[in-house]
Amino acid sequence: MGLLDGKIALVFGVANKNSIGWGIAKALQREGATIVLSYAMDRLEKRVRPLGESIGCELMLQADVSSGDELDAVFAAVEEQYGKLDVLVHSIAFADRESLGGRFVELSRAGLLAAIDISAVSLIELSRRAEPLMKDGGSIMSLTYNASRQVIPNYNAMAIAKAALEAITMYLAADLGQSKIRVNAISAGAIKTLSAGGIAGFRDLLKYAEVTSPMNELVSQDDVGDLALFLASDLSRRITGEVIYVDAGHNIMGYTDVEALARQLD
Ligand code: NAP
């Protein structure tokens, strides 16, 4: 018997097999959930469809989270096919290249607002549509990064979007608790994915994360998937409004021995 037998999980943000959303979809399906995938653009269907088919997805739906109509269509399709929803995964982020590098003070208003809208405000848009389908309560989760709480060079607009996402998580949790819906954010360590590739200096960040985390390890999509599985399941039944880290402990480190670091980076 699986932890998620009989559960319906809707996962937004699978672009390819390296997506964190895909690591999560696989983990939820392994424990019995029926997965619905949503991807951003028509041109991604070729890549996403075989992935979905490999885990028995019946519904794979295109939606840009900035379009209310497209989101309405996704939730209507889930309602029509399954009549309910138990788990919602928001694994989406976007910022234009100019907003992911350079001096923070030069950040454009338009670039910042677009990043916040697509990467954070969209969680409210998804949650509002999910609530009526989560008739027996449910679990909503999103993906954040510690650049919200500590300065990480070049994250600029995305750091601010993640800070907004974490605040939105708290406010949604407080509001949706009455519907027995839990809302949490997973703060994942750095992982090589399509989106991460857009951040200047990401390779160096990966190396730094590996050598300075207490466990001297990087995090994988599957590591995040297993935490998502916990959050989706009844095992986390009294946890809501939290930011939970899966980063090999990297976020706790305040200072790194410079000589040891230099030796490890050699
Ligand atoms: P990814 O594979 O590129 O996934 C990001 C997804 O967001 C893509 O499927 C992308 O679709 C989608 N997206 C962007 N704009 C969208 C829109 N307007 N409407 C609908 N979908 C849209 O990268 P990832 O690293 O797995 O990112 C997933 C989440 O994890 C993000 O929230 C990210 O910030 C977070 N995270 C990542 C790391 C890391 O180091 N990789 C660490 C912590 C947290 P398109 O490809 O079609 O644009």
Side-chain angles (χ1 to χ4, degrees):
M1 205 177 119
L3 284 170
L4 300 179
D5 282 349
K7 304 284 188 198
I8 309 296
L10 171 56
V11 180
F12 282 84
V14 174
N16 59 34
K17 65 178 174 32
N18 296 322
S19 294
I20 293 174
W22 177 238
I24 294 175
K26 281 188 299 177
L28 303 187
Q29 190 269 343
R30 193 180 72 223
E31 287 293 328
T34 296
I35 308 295
V36 179
L37 292 182
S38 179
Y39 53 92
M41 287 177 282
D42 283 332
R43 68 172 170 76
L44 286 181
E45 188 182 344
K46 254 198 345 253
R47 246 183 287 151
V48 175
R49 191 152 287 280
L51 293 177
E53 282 168 358
S54 73
I55 58 167
C57 278
E58 297 166 322
L59 281 185
M60 289 171 256
L61 305 160
Q62 183 274 330
D64 184 321
V65 293
S66 56
S67 161
D69 290 347
E70 291 181 13
L71 292 183
D72 286 344
V74 168
F75 284 87
V78 171
E79 180 162 32
E80 191 182 321
Q81 182 96 351
Y82 301 110
K84 67 156 189 168
L85 182 64
D86 302 289
V87 180
L88 171 66
V89 178
H90 175 290
S91 188
I92 289 169
F94 170 80
D96 59 42
R97 198 165 275 276
E98 299 73 53
S99 305
L100 292 173
R103 292 195 66 206
F104 183 79
V105 75
E106 305 285 358
L107 190 54
S108 81
R109 176 179 281 192
L112 177 59
L113 292 180
I116 293 174
D117 185 41
I118 293 170
S119 314
V121 177
S122 59
L123 180 62
I124 307 174
E125 295 295 314
L126 299 189
S127 300
R128 188 169 58 249
R129 290 167 171 85
E131 185 183 16
L133 293 186
M134 291 184 157
K135 295 164 187 154
D136 305 320
S139 172
I140 296 176
M141 67 192 84
S142 68
L143 271 296
T144 187
Y145 182 60
N146 199 36
S148 58
R149 298 178 179 202
Q150 292 182 329
V151 175
I152 309 281
N154 298 321
Y155 269 74
N156 299 3
M158 191 51 63
I160 308 308
K162 292 307 189 192
L165 184 74
E166 291 175 21
I168 287 169
T169 297
M170 277 194 312
Y171 277 80
L172 283 173
D175 195 17
L176 297 180
Q178 61 190 311
S179 302
K180 301 296 174 205
I181 297 171
R182 297 178 293 106
V183 188
N184 292 290
I186 295 175
S187 190
I191 300 178
K192 201 170 159 204
T193 62
L194 207 59
S195 298
I199 294 165
F202 188 74
R203 271 176 48 168
D204 290 345
L205 180 76
L206 274 179
K207 188 68 194 158
Y208 181 80
E210 183 175 5
V211 301
T212 60
S213 73
M215 301 177 75
N216 286 150
E217 284 171 339
L218 287 176
V219 174
S220 72
Q221 289 83 343
D222 291 338
D223 296 330
V224 182
D226 284 346
L227 175 54
L229 169 61
F230 167 73
L231 288 175
S233 79
D234 201 44
L235 295 177
S236 59
R237 61 195 166 274
R238 301 281 178 265
I239 299 175
T240 193
E242 299 293 343
V243 175
I244 302 175
Y245 285 84
V246 52
D247 68 345
H250 190 248
N251 74 90
I252 65 167
M253 302 302 290
Y255 172 75
T256 299
D257 180 319
V258 178
E259 283 179 14
L261 179 62
R263 276 197 304 277
Q264 281 173 294
L265 289 174
D266 259 352

